[in-house]
Amino acid sequence: MPSVAGMYQESSDRTRAFPAKPVAFRRSERGAVACLLFQPAESRYIATMTTPSAPAPASPRLATITERFAAKAGSGPVEWRVVEGLLPYPDALQMMERRVAEIAAGTAPETVLLVEHPPLYTAGTGAQDDDLVDARRFPVFKAGRGGEYTYHGPGQRVAYVLLDLKRRREDVRAFVAALEAWIIGTLDSFQIRGERREDRVGVWVQRSERPLAADGAIAEDKIAAIGIRVRRWVTFHGISLNVDPDLDHFSGIVPCGIRGHGVTSLADLGILVSMPEVDSVLRTQFEAVFGDTADAQR
C-alpha cells in the first residue's frame, strides 16, 4: 500500500496509474483515509510506487490546513438547496448523480443539497461485514463513496457538497480539510470545540467529564462524519452533522469502522437548536470557506 501522501500526488517520473475502476484507500489503523473514494481513471489520482528500501515519506494529514477553498473569479455562487421532509436515500443518489453530470458538463452551478433521511445505514466501499452489528434494524444501502458504515436519520443534517475542483483546486486532501474547517467553524458558533485527528477523518469532540481511557487519553466522540467521491474532478456525497438524532440508532454499526470512540450531537452536548438555525450557521460558515451561495431556483 502506498503512503497516504502518495495517494494524493499526480504524475511524476516514478508513478503508475491505478486500474480504471473505483478504488477505496484504507490504512491498517482503519479510519485514517476511510472516508475517501477516488476514481483514478477520471480524476487522474495515482499512487507513487516506491521500493520497500526507499519508502516515500508520509505527509501528515493534519499538515493540510484549508481555511479558504474559494472558486476562481467569475465562477458564480454555489446553489444552496434545502430539501424538505425525509428524503429516501435512492432519491438522494439520483439527485447527486444528475447534478454532478450537469456540473461536469458546465450546464449547472455547483450545489449544496441539505437533506434529512429516514433511519438507514449506508455502506462505503471499505465496509467490513463485522462492522454491521444489526443488519435487520434499518435498511442498508451501498453508497458508492469511500469509507465504511454510517448512519443517517431524522435529526441529522446531511449536506451533499457538489463542487467542481477544477474551478477551485485540484487537491482532494485540501478539499477534505476545507470540509472539516467548515464543520469546526459551525460548531464554534455554538460554543463547541470541534477538532480534527490525524488518523480519523471527521470532526471530534473531547468529553473531559468522562473517565480517562486506559492509556490516559481523554474520551472523544464523533459529531460529524465526512465521506466523499470524486468524478471528473466534481465532488459528491459530503458531510453529516448530528444535530439531535437518536444516538442509539448508531449502535447497529461500528461508525466509519472506528472502535473505541462514541458519537455525540449538538443536543447531547446541551445545544438545543432547530434545524433551520443550524442551516443558517452552516451557510454562513460555508461561505467563509468556499465562497458565495445563492438560493436554489424553485
Side-chain angles (χ1 to χ4, degrees), residues 177-198:
L179 292 176
E180 290 173 325
W182 173 30
I183 298 166
I184 289 170
T186 299
L187 295 174
D188 185 65
S189 297
F190 295 111
Q191 289 76 53
I192 294 174
R193 180 182 177 85
E195 298 180 307
R196 305 166 69 204
R197 290 292 176 261
E198 179 65 39

Side-chain angles (χ1 to χ4, degrees), residues 44 53 88 94 101 128 171 175 251:
R44 306 196 315 278
S53 60
Q94 290 178 7
Q128 304 294 304
D171 186 336
F175 172 62
S251 64

Side-chain angles (χ1 to χ4, degrees), residues 93-223:
L93 292 179
Q94 290 178 7
M95 292 173 68
M96 281 192 286
E97 288 283 354
R98 182 169 58 250
R99 180 48 60 100
V100 164
E102 293 169 346
I103 293 171
T107 60
E110 297 176 299
T111 303
V112 172
L113 297 172
L114 297 179
V115 310
E116 284 182 88
H117 291 299
L120 58 91
Y121 298 129
T122 66
T125 57
Q128 304 294 304
D129 290 344
D130 59 352
D131 287 339
L132 182 58
V133 179
D134 186 354
R136 296 175 295 178
R137 188 166 191 181
F138 299 123
V140 181
F141 296 91
K142 291 184 178 180
R145 54 156 176 78
E148 304 190 26
Y149 286 104
T150 59
Y151 166 77
H152 295 316
Q156 181 191 72
R157 177 51 90 204
V158 177
Y160 293 122
V161 184
L162 318 178
L163 300 182
D164 186 353
L165 299 189
K166 295 193 299 294
R167 306 181 197 178
R168 296 170 181 273
R169 223 187 301 173
E170 294 177 353
D171 186 336
V172 175
R173 175 176 280 192
F175 172 62
V176 172
L179 292 176
E180 290 173 325
W182 173 30
I183 298 166
I184 289 170
T186 299
L187 295 174
D188 185 65
S189 297
F190 295 111
Q191 289 76 53
I192 294 174
R193 180 182 177 85
E195 298 180 307
R196 305 166 69 204
R197 290 292 176 261
E198 179 65 39
D199 59 343
R200 291 178 262 130
V201 173
V203 176
W204 300 79
V205 176
Q206 290 191 337
R207 308 302 300 269
S208 58
E209 73 276 13
R210 294 181 183 168
L212 298 177
D215 61 359
I218 297 174
E220 294 184 337
D221 287 341
K222 193 171 195 175
I223 193 168

